[in-house]
Amino acid sequence: MRKTALDPAAPLVFDTAELRGAGTTMHVALEIPAPEAYGLESVYAVPKGAVLDLDIHLTGVSEGVLASGGVEAVAEGECARCLAPVQDALSVQVQELYAYEGSVTEATTEADEIMRLEGDLLDLEPAVRDALVLAMPVTPLCRPDCPGMCAECGVPWDELPDDHVHETVDPRWAGLEKLRLADNDGESK
């Protein structure tokens, strides 16, 4: 057996030696900590160490091992409109073929087109990461109708009274405003 760059003790690396025959199956149901943050850590992500709930079937096929099943995790971040904390449960499906070294797929596909086994080791982390990140909203919101924050004072609209306004003067009329103020103070023009 050749040396591999994968760590067999990594939580999302599985030994598939017993799946060499087509149709053989291994069921993986476990909860593990996320080995790294998935997403944009400071904005919205499944944090490093968060629980990943895996329910995956690994099936031996003629060209390699087919991994299919579900992954659940909780993503955390902040609302894109009001910056309130956001927490969402993500549930994604994963389906990925991991080809054997020297299989027909090596000659018929590009290197980055299909996942490859390293020896008998299968690294599920890239497939899990990709599925979770693709399921994340582009603009996370605390709720769909979040009004955001006042552009003038930066306070969330939910915390402001209904009659909250900021008086703005068009800069083209600012000179006239000075005259109005001077007239109100009783000064001469």
Side-chain angles (χ1 to χ4, degrees), residues 96-181:
E96 192 74 47
L97 174 64
Y98 292 81
Y100 293 128
E101 295 171 340
S103 68
V104 174
T105 57
E106 211 165 272
T108 60
T109 60
E110 297 294 323
D112 61 350
E113 227 178 319
I114 193 166
M115 301 297 286
R116 311 246 182 235
L117 291 168
E118 289 189 27
D120 287 325
L121 297 179
L122 177 148
D123 185 7
L124 198 56
E125 185 177 4
V128 168
R129 178 193 59 234
D130 291 352
L132 287 170
V133 170
L134 289 172
M136 292 178 183
V138 174
T139 307
L141 299 174
C142 59
R143 63 179 202 266
D145 63 340
C146 175
M149 298 188 308
C150 173
E152 295 295 320
C153 62
V155 176
W157 281 108
D158 286 340
E159 297 174 14
L160 293 170
D162 290 340
D163 62 347
H164 176 77
V165 294
H166 293 274
E167 191 171 321
T168 56
V169 177
D170 188 328
R172 296 172 292 183
W173 298 101
L176 291 175
E177 181 66 16
K178 289 179 191 175
L179 291 174
R180 185 184 70 81
L181 291 174

Side-chain angles (χ1 to χ4, degrees), residues 35-48:
E36 64 181 69
Y38 300 138
L40 297 174
E41 220 171 335
S42 62
V43 179
Y44 189 80
V46 172
K48 180 178 182 176

